[in-house]
Amino acid sequence: MSSQINRLENGGLINRDKPLNFTFDGVSYIGYEGDTLASALLANGVTLLGRSFKYHRPRGLLTAHSHEPNALVELRSGPHKEPNIPATMVELFEGLSATSQNRWPNLKHDLLSVNSLFSKFLVAGFYYKTFKWPAKFWTGLYEPFIRKAAGLGSLSGLNDPDTYEKASKHCDILIVGGGVSGLSTAISAAKQNVDIILVDEHPELGGSLRGEDMDHALLEKLQHEVRSFSNIKVMTRSTVFGWYDSNSFGVVERISDHLSKTPAYKPRQKMWKIIAKQVVLATGAHERPLVFQNNDRPGVMLASAVRRYLNQYGVAPGRKAVVFGNNDTGKKAVETLISAGVEVAAFIDTREDIHDFNPSIPMDIPIFAHSEITNIKGTNAVKSIIIRSLSTNEESQIDCDFVCVAGGWNPAVQLQAQRGINPKWDQSHQAYLPKFNEGHGYICCGSLTGLSTTEDCLTHGEAAGFKSVEALKNSPHSLSKSDGEIERPAPPHPLEPYFISSCTDGKAFIDFQHDVTRKDVELAAREGYQSVEHVKRYTTLGMATDQGKTANVNGIAVLSQAIDKPMGTVGTTGFRPPYTPVSLGVLAGPQAGNSWYLPTQSPLHDWMELQGGKFIHSGRGLRSQYFPQDGEDMQRSINREVLAVRQNVAFCDVSSLGKIDLQGKDAVTFLNRVYSNGFSKLPINKSRYGLMLREDGIVFDDGTVTRFDENHFFLTTTSAEAHAVISHLEYCHQVLWPELDVVLTDCAEQYAAVSLAGPNARNVLGALVKDEVSDEKLPYLQTIESSLIEHSIPCRIFRISFSGELAYEIFVGAGYAEILANALLKAGRKYDICQYGVEALDVLRIEKGHVSSEITGNTSAKDLGLGAMASDKKSYVGSVLKNRDAFMDKNREAVVGIMPINPKQKISNGAHAIPLNSKLTADNDLGYLTSATWSATLGSYIAIGLISGGTSRIGETVHIVDPVNDRAPVKAKLVSPHFYDPENQRVKM
Amino acid sequence: MRISCPLCGERALEEFTYRGDATKKRPTNDDMNEWVDYVFIRNNPKGLHKEHWYHFAGCGAWLEVERDTLTHEIFKVQLTSEMGKNET
């Protein structure tokens, strides 16, 4: 067990009374409560945390925040394992285990670091250049090698055992970022009684007050004040990762990630959709590194990160520091180091008049004005640096064990950029500052706008709070149109426009996570890439999981120098959500596995389940599939159910049908316009088959229309299209013909429906209901209102048949479904009644040649053999385009029956038909089988198919080929699709 | 995106389904070319557009929405049934 050699004696916001055990790469360490994994490792002197993406170079911490490009680790183990987590964002907990990534066999001795030796082959665009020839080497050699050598962490390959939640929230003002500016905004706005949500990605509010610009008193004061307002809802450990249309924000709240185990009944993470009337962006700024040789060595860190490790965690990254900067942040780092008692071996600033800017640097610290670092010595850790004077080119070497780099600040403009509002280059700040667009309902404040001191951010935040409330008052019900710019002070001292070392030797990294060097960008420029967007894709600059937060601006600087264009004119790349990586689990939320969606269930579902029914997913619902008896398998059960309908009596749940009530004095006109057949002459209490087309002339749906009264109709639709039909009919009514006086009511869920079919159906019905149901009283296609003998439940009976047998559909209120079903069992007992499911229903309709799966969205009424149903005498949806030339083609695939010569030879859906004497190739394809089944009634396999020429080919013999099922071709005859009772006599029994 | 349904108020996108171009007018004659244009030919404008949306998970109203296809800003939402009545 190592001791915490880099932990300072005092200081930090850690709880030294609460030590925590953790492991990294199997080695045990101790940190404190309040540490991150990064600060705890640094405290233990562990500075080598990972290997780089392409060259496997040793890497350590660069930052202390979520934009960390180097220190990505795999957290936890087994199914809980999660790769690519920045160690800087992992709160330490007891028993935490993490491992380093992208190294083999281990971090200190990584054999793949030989990639560095081949680095001249791994330059920008190497994918496109190096691995092109010979072609077969790609899949066999190059690709597997690159896959193994490059990349980041690995997945567990196991199902995610964690739970996730989703929720929505509304507020008046959303404040993104809980630093000085965000806190100040919240307090100022809250005083005016508006609902505020304040979000911060860290475990606690305070931002730089906890680290870089530590100020205990101010932190306590602001936090106390925020807590005193009940109208400020604070969300910590929460990242606003995306800004979407209509001021909707995607936020991930990490509820249990900081705990060793997710507590019972709590999710691991929660996805919030926050809808805000106003948004104040106080997202702060990221410090950027400087580009010089070996600037990626472990120990080279951002000056702000070093200050945070010293102040918040009481950790010094080493014993002997060098500070290198082009702005006043460097001075701040020197001051923090000195007050923490760390030796500063040199302070290097690229500016000339540095002594005027930095009068507070102690005299005993060697200051190098107008100088730069040109190289770092040391591989796994910094050993010394080479300093070069920018005036005299004189070089000197200084020993140290870490380097603080202060290259200026990149305001965190990612959220606005997601909205397409790209930032603009500001010369005086040497930074991309947010641009303000009218009409987006947002205000920017604090260091996001280029401010650098706590005092400025406090004042700015107060003004932002005031302004956002004002905007809210001006447009209280919609998004504010106010401009987001608030006056702000100019920077006290200019930044030196210095980004890149004057020395071009070796590797100087721009994008640490994707291993993109200065030379890569320069090469891209030489090869003709001028646009930032092209350079990005060619070099992969900024395309890693950190989206180039530390890399993009330096990349643009290198490009601007290479193509000799000023910074502001080179352009920027866009940003897309998410701001930081979001786990797929939380995006899916609870909608995973069996909870992906809840299938609708029939009101008879539970009853049928008790009866031994088996179910199948059909559309969005579960339907009864078959009802096995005495250990029957599915096929035997289906055969028995089919024969029961043909020879005796059985009933089937058809509650899933779409049901629409239509009333109004223009109801007939409406029906004539939406169905292809006519309804003017339909008598009261009669039903008629109805066919609906789409405007393009293709068949949309079929069903029945029953007239209850002069202006009152009842429509049924197929189960599959129930929702689409109601939407379509409402469109016809509300958009096409709002002048028609009709009202449509979707009552699909209000009724349970059962089809009672078979030669004995009338006998059973007679014993079921109170009224007379003789053929005279209730002829084919007649409907009556009646009531069940059982409990006098009101019902409606339609004499309609899909099976081709004597049949009735019986409708009752959905709540009476089980009474109806029990009554049917009772009334049918002496006929040995049974139930049938959708499988038997399908066999029955195929035997009759009724189309169902043939309505593919490509078939016309004529194709389906229903040409006579599509009137030419009236105007209706689809009436013109149904006559398109293509639909008149005699060779179109149209419905025809198919019967194997040997009735026992199986044919399946999807198999194709090929003329008997033709070669079995796709060129000779005639069409395919849409509905194939074993017919117990006929003792044969039968099928309906969509075959070129359709019924004009009846009598021809074909080969049915089924390579997908690996079956030998089957000889079959093309026949009428009406296999059973073609004269349709049995329905009229 | 959020759409202000004239009957239900501002609601989330998930409650609506999109149909398409609302500027196309259904032909009143049998001219095949006009019908082909009505059913198949669509512009893909960048900027302001009129579209039909259906509030399927709300009141079932068909809406004509004036929307900027670039920024997704919504300028106007009307009930198509009311618009028809005003025209006649």
Side-chain angles (χ1 to χ4, degrees):
Chain A
M1 196 169 292
S2 318
S3 59
Q4 300 186 41
I5 51 163
N6 282 341
R7 187 79 72 179
L8 301 173
E9 290 293 314
N10 306 300
L13 300 174
I14 44 168
N15 183 359
R16 290 172 194 257
D17 298 330
K18 195 95 188 277
L20 298 170
N21 296 288
F22 70 101
T23 67
F24 179 66
D25 280 346
V27 181
S28 298
Y29 300 99
I30 294 176
Y32 293 125
E33 188 181 70
D35 260 327
T36 61
L37 174 61
S39 68
L41 284 169
L42 201 58
N44 283 277
V46 182
T47 52
L48 175 57
L49 296 185
R51 288 275 171 176
S52 74
F53 183 70
K54 221 157 72 173
Y55 304 121
H56 289 248
R57 285 170 69 102
R59 292 282 167 83
L61 289 164
L62 180 70
T63 77
H65 290 292
S66 60
H67 59 308
E68 172 62 35
N70 288 338
L72 305 182
V73 298
E74 282 175 10
L75 208 58
R76 303 177 199 254
S77 55
H80 293 278
K81 180 165 110 168
E82 202 177 12
N84 307 337
I85 306 298
T88 47
M89 293 303 281
V90 178
E91 290 175 59
L92 202 62
F93 54 80
E94 178 63 30
L96 178 147
S97 82
T99 48
S100 58
Q101 303 184 154
N102 200 29
R103 81 288 190 269
W104 185 82
N106 65 48
L107 198 52
K108 284 228 170 74
H109 306 283
D110 177 34
L111 294 180
L112 291 166
S113 61
V114 292
N115 276 12
S116 275
L117 305 177
F118 297 118
S119 63
K120 68 175 170 180
F121 298 113
L122 296 173
V123 294
F126 75 98
Y127 256 59
Y128 316 113
K129 292 171 184 165
T130 319
F131 299 108
K132 279 170 84 170
W133 309 277
K136 66 175 178 188
F137 274 34
W138 176 252
T139 46
L141 184 67
Y142 299 146
E143 213 240 352
F145 169 77
I146 292 169
R147 285 249 176 268
K148 189 172 160 57
L152 299 167
S154 59
L155 296 167
S156 72
L158 302 168
N159 279 337
D160 185 349
D162 286 313
T163 55
Y164 301 89
E165 285 180 0
K166 283 184 180 180
S168 296
K169 217 179 234 312
H170 294 252
C171 66
D172 290 325
I173 301 171
L174 171 69
I175 302 169
V176 187
V180 183
S181 316
L183 289 167
S184 167
T185 307
I187 293 162
S188 144
K191 286 175 184 159
Q192 302 187 63
N193 224 3
V194 292
D195 279 331
I196 294 164
I197 298 177
L198 175 62
V199 188
D200 194 274
E201 64 178 346
H202 288 287
E204 288 186 87
L205 297 173
S208 64
L209 294 181
R210 293 189 167 270
E212 296 85 344
D213 302 299
M214 169 82 77
D215 186 335
H216 276 293
L218 182 59
L219 178 63
E220 281 310 310
K221 178 177 170 283
L222 292 175
Q223 275 192 313
H224 177 79
E225 227 176 317
V226 162
R227 276 192 222 108
S228 71
F229 287 106
S230 59
N231 52 333
I232 303 178
K233 152 94 185 162
V234 174
M235 293 175 71
T236 50
R237 297 188 176 97
S238 302
T239 304
V240 180
F241 66 82
W243 181 0
Y244 302 94
D245 296 324
S246 309
N247 270 8
S248 304
F249 293 83
V251 182
V252 167
E253 185 182 6
R254 290 172 293 277
I255 292 172
S256 310
D257 281 359
H258 63 292
L259 304 170
S260 48
K261 214 173 146 228
T262 303
Y265 309 114
K266 285 227 173 181
R268 182 188 156 215
Q269 296 179 349
K270 191 166 182 169
M271 168 81 117
W272 290 95
K273 184 177 182 181
I274 294 181
I275 296 112
K277 290 178 187 153
Q278 268 289 319
V279 59
V280 176
L281 299 170
T283 47
H286 301 122
E287 195 166 42
R288 63 180 175 244
L290 289 162
V291 184
F292 53 89
Q293 193 178 173
N294 294 324
N295 61 344
D296 65 324
R297 291 304 187 203
V300 180
M301 299 168 76
L302 293 174
S304 57
V306 172
R307 288 161 68 209
R308 182 165 279 262
Y309 287 115
L310 288 165
N311 287 337
Q312 180 167 358
Y313 306 108
V315 175
R319 299 272 169 274
K320 204 171 180 186
V322 159
V323 177
F324 174 34
N326 61 4
N327 69 91
D328 287 356
T329 319
K331 178 193 76 175
K332 290 184 185 174
V334 174
E335 289 166 356
T336 312
L337 286 162
I338 291 167
S339 63
V342 181
E343 184 189 343
V344 179
F347 174 39
I348 304 147
D349 201 309
T350 58
R351 295 174 293 186
E352 282 181 70
D353 40 6
I354 175 174
H355 295 281
D356 299 342
F357 298 155
N358 302 310
S360 58
I361 302 286
M363 294 305 286
D364 57 335
I365 290 178
I367 297 182
F368 295 82
H370 203 223
S371 299
E372 60 173 357
I373 293 183
T374 54
N375 197 4
I376 304 273
K377 303 275 185 188
T379 305
N380 282 351
V382 174
K383 293 205 167 87
S384 64
I385 57 161
I386 308 293
I387 303 171
R388 178 193 280 175
S389 162
L390 289 164
S391 327
T392 63
N393 281 342
E394 224 173 282
E395 287 197 351
S396 49
Q397 182 161 356
I398 288 185
D399 290 348
C400 61
D401 57 6
F402 70 105
V403 180
C404 311
V405 177
W409 293 85
N410 297 333
V413 296
Q414 282 80 0
L415 281 176
Q416 302 96 297
Q418 286 180 11
R419 302 299 302 152
I421 310 163
N422 276 336
K424 59 172 190 272
W425 182 252
D426 184 279
Q427 198 60 26
S428 68
H429 289 84
Q430 287 291 305
Y432 282 99
L433 296 186
K435 204 157 83 187
F436 304 97
N437 278 24
E438 288 276 337
H440 280 88
Y442 78 94
I443 286 167
C444 298
C445 82
S447 48
L448 169 64
T449 67
L451 300 184
S452 55
T453 70
T454 301
E455 296 69 43
D456 286 349
C457 287
L458 270 177
T459 322
H460 208 229
E462 206 178 325
F466 192 77
K467 199 173 164 86
S468 61
V469 173
E470 201 180 328
L472 202 61
K473 281 177 183 159
N474 289 338
S475 49
H477 299 299
S478 60
L479 299 181
S480 154
K481 304 278 184 192
S482 77
D483 192 311
E485 188 140 26
I486 306 168
E487 228 178 284
R488 61 183 189 280
H493 307 299
L495 262 81
E496 181 88 353
Y498 174 96
F499 299 91
I500 324 157
S501 161
S502 62
C503 165
T504 58
D505 297 341
K507 278 196 176 63
F509 284 86
I510 300 171
D511 187 328
F512 293 77
Q513 204 186 336
H514 257 174
D515 264 0
V516 179
T517 65
R518 164 190 187 168
K519 283 178 181 166
D520 290 324
V521 173
E522 288 168 346
L523 177 68
R526 275 203 307 283
E527 291 181 352
Y529 294 92
Q530 304 265 313
S531 145
V532 182
E533 293 286 0
H534 290 157
V535 170
K536 168 181 169 175
R537 280 154 186 82
Y538 192 58
T539 61
T540 74
L541 169 75
M543 289 171 71
T545 61
D546 63 350
Q547 285 196 47
K549 291 189 185 74
T550 54
N552 286 346
V553 175
N554 284 343
I556 292 168
V558 173
L559 180 66
S560 117
Q561 191 175 306
I563 62 176
D564 198 22
K565 272 189 176 174
M567 271 301 272
T569 64
V570 179
T572 57
T573 58
F575 291 98
R576 278 176 287 274
Y579 172 69
T580 49
V582 172
S583 65
L584 290 175
V586 76
L587 290 175
Q591 281 90 29
N594 287 334
S595 307
W596 188 59
Y597 75 92
L598 287 176
T600 55
Q601 290 185 354
S602 159
L604 274 179
H605 182 92
D606 294 348
W607 186 87
M608 291 188 297
E609 199 164 29
L610 280 175
Q611 298 283 318
K614 305 287 177 197
F615 296 89
I616 186 172
H617 282 267
S618 169
R620 292 223 45 181
L622 277 174
R623 294 188 69 185
S624 53
Q625 189 180 14
Y626 61 102
F627 294 86
Q629 291 179 358
D630 309 323
E632 285 171 329
D633 64 12
M634 183 164 93
Q635 188 59 56
R636 280 172 200 276
S637 178
I638 295 167
N639 293 347
R640 177 182 49 73
E641 292 167 28
V642 167
L643 293 175
V645 174
R646 292 279 178 243
Q647 294 163 6
N648 180 22
V649 63
F651 68 97
C652 175
D653 176 32
V654 293
S655 302
S656 60
L657 290 175
K659 308 172 198 78
I660 298 163
D661 184 279
L662 172 71
Q663 301 188 39
K665 71 177 166 54
D666 296 321
V668 172
T669 310
F670 185 74
L671 288 172
N672 282 334
R673 290 185 190 179
V674 296
Y675 283 98
S676 69
N677 50 326
F679 289 91
S680 306
K681 290 178 188 146
L682 180 65
I684 289 170
N685 287 332
K686 279 283 185 189
S687 303
R688 181 174 288 174
Y689 179 73
L691 188 68
M692 268 185 213
L693 307 187
R694 312 189 309 213
E695 286 286 25
D696 63 359
I698 296 281
V699 171
F700 173 36
D701 197 53
D702 63 349
T704 61
V705 176
T706 305
R707 188 172 213 162
F708 287 167
D709 207 338
E710 188 60 29
N711 296 322
H712 186 187
F713 292 82
F714 184 76
L715 285 50
T716 63
T717 77
T718 61
S719 307
E721 298 293 331
H723 289 290
V725 170
I726 186 77
S727 156
H728 168 70
L729 293 182
E730 287 290 2
Y731 178 84
C732 292
H733 172 40
Q734 296 180 33
V735 180
L736 300 182
W737 309 300
E739 69 279 6
L740 293 185
D741 178 10
V742 290
V743 176
L744 292 150
T745 308
D746 181 356
C747 48
E749 291 178 6
Q750 274 63 39
Y751 296 105
V754 161
S755 173
L756 176 67
N760 280 319
R762 184 179 296 122
N763 297 331
V764 174
L765 187 64
L768 180 78
V769 299
K770 289 180 177 170
D771 293 87
E772 197 189 325
V773 292
S774 65
D775 193 40
E776 293 75 46
K777 290 275 180 197
L778 186 54
Y780 184 48
L781 296 176
Q782 184 79 24
T783 176
I784 58 164
E785 279 186 286
S786 183
S787 53
L788 304 184
I789 293 166
E790 206 81 16
H791 301 297
S792 298
I793 304 298
C795 66
R796 187 175 270 278
I797 305 159
F798 301 81
R799 190 165 162 195
I800 292 171
S801 177
F802 193 47
S803 57
E805 297 299 326
L806 170 68
Y808 304 89
E809 284 180 4
I810 307 159
F811 283 58
V812 294
Y816 298 130
E818 294 194 3
I819 293 175
L820 170 65
N822 284 322
L824 272 166
L825 282 186
K826 196 171 150 194
R829 191 166 294 144
K830 77 175 188 193
Y831 301 97
D832 206 13
I833 197 168
C834 70
Q835 296 177 69
Y836 65 105
V838 290
E839 296 287 349
L841 185 75
D842 205 39
V843 176
L844 292 162
R845 71 98 190 159
I846 297 171
E847 289 175 347
K848 283 293 293 175
H850 290 157
V851 293
S852 172
S853 15
E854 289 66 33
I855 303 179
T856 59
N858 290 311
T859 42
S860 70
K862 207 160 150 276
D863 298 339
L864 297 173
L866 300 171
M869 303 263 322
S871 168
D872 281 320
K873 297 196 186 92
K874 59 174 186 139
S875 169
Y876 52 90
V877 173
S879 62
V880 176
L881 290 184
K882 80 170 171 46
N883 294 325
R884 276 186 282 166
D885 290 348
F887 291 160
M888 302 300 142
D889 185 348
K890 296 255 178 306
N891 293 322
R892 267 183 78 81
E893 290 178 355
V895 158
V896 70
I898 295 149
M899 246 178 147
I901 305 283
N902 172 355
K904 300 277 155 47
Q905 268 191 306
K906 189 171 182 177
I907 50 177
S908 301
N909 288 351
H912 281 247
I914 286 179
L916 201 58
N917 297 317
S918 303
K919 270 180 111 176
L920 301 180
T921 64
D923 293 344
N924 297 321
D925 183 26
L926 289 177
Y928 63 102
L929 276 53
T930 45
S931 307
T933 186
W934 168 256
S935 164
T937 314
L938 303 170
S940 172
Y941 279 99
I942 57 170
I944 302 174
L946 288 169
I947 304 292
S948 170
T951 46
S952 72
R953 286 189 188 269
I954 287 177
E956 289 182 23
T957 309
V958 294
H959 269 130
I960 301 300
V961 296
D962 197 352
V964 175
N965 285 316
D966 208 16
R967 282 203 199 107
V970 172
K971 263 189 214 168
K973 211 165 191 129
L974 300 182
V975 297
S976 159
H978 308 293
F979 297 94
Y980 180 75
D981 184 26
E983 279 76 41
N984 212 23
Q985 294 304 307
R986 297 183 65 85
V987 296
K988 293 165 194 157
M989 285 202 319
Chain B
M1 211 162 75
R2 296 173 67 77
I3 297 175
S4 289
C5 171
L7 301 178
C8 307
E10 189 187 293
R11 298 297 182 92
L13 179 66
E14 291 85 338
E15 293 188 12
F16 299 86
T17 50
Y18 176 77
R19 175 155 172 137
D21 194 344
T23 62
K24 293 279 181 181
K25 292 287 169 252
R26 195 171 185 267
T28 49
N29 57 42
D30 287 357
D31 185 276
M32 188 67 86
N33 290 332
E34 276 190 44
W35 275 94
V36 167
D37 181 76
Y38 168 66
V39 173
F40 297 108
I41 308 299
R42 292 290 179 275
N43 286 326
N44 185 16
K46 175 180 171 182
L48 192 67
H49 197 34
K50 288 183 181 176
E51 299 163 334
H52 282 138
W53 289 80
Y54 179 50
H55 197 186
F56 83 97
C59 57
W62 275 95
L63 309 173
E64 184 177 302
V65 177
E66 286 185 41
R67 187 175 74 100
D68 189 316
T69 58
L70 185 67
T71 64
H72 300 181
E73 187 177 354
I74 291 169
F75 302 99
K76 198 173 179 185
V77 183
Q78 290 169 279
L79 294 172
T80 57
S81 51
E82 295 298 321
M83 296 169 67
K85 276 173 191 162
N86 292 339
E87 278 168 28
T88 48

